[in-house]
Amino acid sequence: MTQPQGRTALVTGASAGIGRDIARRLAADGVTVAVHYGRRKEAAQETVAAIEEAGGHAFTVGADLTADGAVDTLFAELEEALEGRGLDILVNNAGVSLGRDTPSDMAQDDYVAGISHVTTEVFDSLFAINARAPFFVIQRALPLMGEGGRIINISSAVTRIAWPLLAYAMSKGALEIMGSRLAQQLGPRGITVNTVAPGITDTEMNSWVHETPGAEEGISAMTALGRLGLPDDISAVVAFLASEEARWVTGQLIDASGGLCLAPGGM
Ligand SMILES: NC(=O)c1ccc[n+]([C@@H]2O[C@H](COP(=O)([O-])OP(=O)(O)OC[C@H]3O[C@@H](n4cnc5c(N)ncnc54)[C@H](OP(=O)(O)O)[C@@H]3O)[C@@H](O)[C@H]2O)c1
């Protein structure tokens, strides 16, 4: 994808999964990437090392985005590393589908799936990372962004499909609403805002797919393109939205799920 020289990006949640691959892809397109992590600094450093090994430029920035003052901490580190350069691309990718510390063996039951057992703590933590953090990261990033800026938020196909994980879906719904409204507000500044909605993608968030017999086959059968999503299926879409070629696309929600549950009954 065409990226003017010297562009910079912040990718939140780039210590793993989809965010790691978005960071890799943007760096491969010539962008200097701030690789954000929450808890796993070493994993973020591994992302940076892989980028540098491939000839790209990246550095780490860390902050638990649910903590008080996290956005200030993050931007103090970011601005120091940018040394006066602005921020061209912001990818709000960090997210959780369960409460951050919910044991994974509780993931598939009603504890987090439906309305009956979700606690206020779980609900608040989902909204804090998936909706509140992107809002305030964008607020803090805007003074650094100019004409041609790109904001890309990572939502989920769960807003389109009545999958379980009700509170998670609600938090991503809030993120999607923010995207279209912000696109309208930031259009006069030449900044685009778009949202990408992955389907079921092969990352740690979905370790259950490999732990549950028949799950991968079942997901493939529900998907028009017949397989589980991969992180680079998502980063390819983000790279396009971040590029010069996408200058006339804003306020859009782009499904990147391979056609998950397109037919009635999912088949
Ligand atoms: N995988 C899927 O099937 C799928 C489908 C639809 C949408 N999505 C969305 O895609 C995004 C990435 O998902 P993924 O599957 O790649 O997830 P993942 O592998 O579990 O990685 C999550 C990333 O978010 C960061 N993070 C989580 N909580 C944080 C916090 N409180 N503060 C700062 N960073 C935090 C993690 O950082 P640390 O580990 O360093 O703390 C990690 O880098 C999420 O927004 C998710 O909702 C994923």
Side-chain angles (χ1 to χ4, degrees):
M1 285 296 150
T2 311
Q3 285 287 351
Q5 277 203 331
R7 300 265 283 176
T8 60
L10 166 63
V11 181
T12 67
S15 53
I18 293 170
R20 169 176 274 178
D21 205 70
I22 293 170
R24 177 202 62 76
R25 175 59 201 263
L26 290 177
D29 288 347
V31 177
T32 297
V33 182
V35 171
H36 163 265
Y37 63 91
R39 293 179 177 172
R40 288 179 290 177
K41 183 173 186 174
E42 279 181 19
Q45 287 169 332
E46 285 168 21
T47 307
V48 169
I51 287 171
E52 289 176 343
E53 202 172 317
H57 300 286
F59 56 89
T60 62
V61 287
D64 179 340
L65 291 172
T66 60
D68 286 343
V71 174
D72 289 335
T73 308
L74 169 60
F75 276 82
E77 210 176 332
L78 176 68
E79 287 181 86
E80 190 182 338
L82 288 176
E83 296 176 321
R85 284 174 294 172
L87 183 67
D88 300 297
I89 301 161
L90 168 61
V91 184
N92 281 304
N93 162 81
V96 289
S97 58
L98 313 173
R100 180 79 157 148
D101 296 310
T102 303
S104 63
D105 62 357
M106 300 179 87
Q108 302 312 312
D109 64 28
D110 199 41
Y111 180 76
V112 288
I115 195 164
S116 303
H117 298 97
V118 173
T119 61
T120 53
E121 287 77 15
V122 168
F123 187 95
D124 287 349
S125 82
L126 287 168
F127 271 74
I129 181 68
N130 295 339
R132 189 184 73 188
F135 183 99
F136 288 104
V137 168
I138 292 170
Q139 184 187 70
R140 186 64 183 74
L142 282 174
L144 302 177
M145 298 186 86
E147 173 85 26
R150 301 276 189 268
I151 297 173
I152 299 152
N153 299 317
I154 306 300
S155 180
S156 169
V158 294
T159 59
R160 169 173 63 83
I161 302 160
W163 203 258
L165 300 173
L166 174 59
Y168 172 62
M170 291 170 67
S171 69
K172 292 295 191 181
L175 186 71
E176 291 180 8
I177 294 291
M178 178 174 69
S180 57
R181 303 314 186 268
L182 258 184
Q184 200 273 336
Q185 287 184 25
L186 298 180
R189 288 181 53 178
I191 296 172
T192 66
V193 186
N194 290 290
T195 307
V196 176
I200 303 171
T201 310
D202 196 0
T203 69
E204 282 169 41
M205 183 180 276
N206 287 326
S207 52
W208 60 272
V209 171
H210 300 294
E211 290 155 9
T212 312
E216 185 167 353
E217 292 75 9
I219 292 162
S220 301
M222 291 191 299
T223 303
L225 292 174
R227 64 169 172 79
L228 189 60
L230 297 172
D232 65 357
D233 295 322
I234 314 307
S235 60
V237 180
V238 172
F240 165 67
L241 291 171
S243 74
E244 170 62 15
E245 282 85 348
R247 62 191 169 277
W248 202 234
V249 180
T250 195
Q252 299 308 300
L253 170 64
I254 300 182
D255 180 282
S257 71
L260 181 63
C261 295
L262 279 185
M267 300 297 287

